[in-house]
Amino acid sequence: MKNILITITLVLTTILIPAQKLTLDPNHAKLKFDVTHMTISTIDGEFKKFWVDLDFNNPDFSDVKFTVISDINSIDTGIEARDKHLKSADFFDAEKYPKLKFISTSIIKEKKDNYELKGNLTLHGITKPVSLKVKYNGSILNPMTNLKTYGFTISGRFKRSDFEIGNNFPENIVSDYVNIYSNLEFTAN
């Protein structure tokens, strides 16, 4: 009887614990990328406007769900002419495909605070599975806001050719691989 009561208590506790939703702190978050240019240098940039939803039940983040949405028109490489070209039909075609979207499908703990995050990336009207690395940097009570704050670093790469981005530009001009990385801070609601 005692074992049954313990089991019922554990099941009810699990069911009744609401999912935690963390809020992105946009002042302490970046969504960046880089590509190799003409095989000899690296060009980097970022998306200035993006949002990340993070939901989880388990304190070890073993069930975390990431959703990322970015405005392609917010691309910024520091060179206005290049940004305009990247937004054109030669690359992202931002007028027709204005959003980048990533929705996680699973997360696997690799070692302490390091995870493999799998999900579907949608770019240029094409959705493909990608795998990213996530490092949980920890949490603290922010002395400025008095809110619990969580830090994550996410990195990975994908092939632009998989999304038909910049098909007229050979790999010796713009690398096929695009590296992505993001530093993120979230606060508890």
Side-chain angles (χ1 to χ4, degrees), residues 87-98:
K87 294 174 197 178
S88 77
D90 281 347
F91 287 94
F92 286 103
D93 199 357
E95 187 174 320
K96 190 172 181 182
Y97 307 106

Side-chain angles (χ1 to χ4, degrees), residues 143-157:
M144 302 295 285
T145 63
N146 209 29
L147 295 172
K148 190 165 184 182
T149 303
Y150 299 81
F152 295 87
T153 301
I154 300 175
S155 61
R157 70 190 315 201

Side-chain angles (χ1 to χ4, degrees), residues 34-43 82 85-86 90-91 160 165-178:
D34 70 51
V35 295
T36 302
H37 182 246
M38 295 188 0
T39 73
I40 60 168
S41 65
T42 300
I43 303 297
R82 180 171 46 222
H85 191 205
L86 288 171
D90 281 347
F91 287 94
R160 66 181 171 87
I165 295 172
N167 283 345
N168 294 327
F169 295 85
E171 198 167 350
N172 64 344
I173 300 296
V174 178
S175 62
D176 193 23
Y177 283 101
V178 178

Side-chain angles (χ1 to χ4, degrees), residues 15-131:
I15 292 170
L16 296 176
I17 294 174
Q20 294 187 51
K21 186 176 184 91
L22 301 181
T23 302
L24 181 70
D25 177 352
N27 295 321
H28 296 99
K30 295 276 187 185
L31 178 56
K32 303 190 297 184
F33 64 89
D34 70 51
V35 295
T36 302
H37 182 246
M38 295 188 0
T39 73
I40 60 168
S41 65
T42 300
I43 303 297
D44 61 1
E46 66 180 296
F47 292 98
K48 294 281 195 177
K49 295 179 183 176
F50 70 98
W51 193 253
V52 182
D53 280 331
L54 184 103
D55 298 296
F56 65 97
N57 284 316
N58 299 332
D60 67 351
F61 301 108
S62 59
D63 64 340
V64 73
K65 299 286 185 207
F66 281 91
T67 301
V68 180
I69 298 174
S70 177
D71 179 0
I72 295 295
N73 282 298
S74 74
I75 198 167
D76 183 0
T77 64
I79 306 292
E80 189 175 336
R82 180 171 46 222
D83 297 345
K84 186 176 180 181
H85 191 205
L86 288 171
K87 294 174 197 178
S88 77
D90 281 347
F91 287 94
F92 286 103
D93 199 357
E95 187 174 320
K96 190 172 181 182
Y97 307 106
K99 301 289 182 205
L100 167 156
K101 190 173 191 178
F102 172 81
I103 299 173
S104 67
T105 55
S106 68
I107 190 162
I108 300 166
K109 189 169 191 168
E110 294 182 327
K111 59 182 180 176
K112 184 179 190 291
D113 299 329
N114 290 278
Y115 301 84
E116 179 182 22
L117 181 68
K118 293 186 179 191
N120 293 314
L121 177 63
T122 301
L123 271 172
H124 204 241
I126 297 170
T127 301
K128 296 276 185 174
V130 295
S131 181

Side-chain angles (χ1 to χ4, degrees), residues 7-18:
T7 302
I8 290 172
T9 302
L10 287 173
V11 169
L12 286 175
T13 303
T14 303
I15 292 170
L16 296 176
I17 294 174

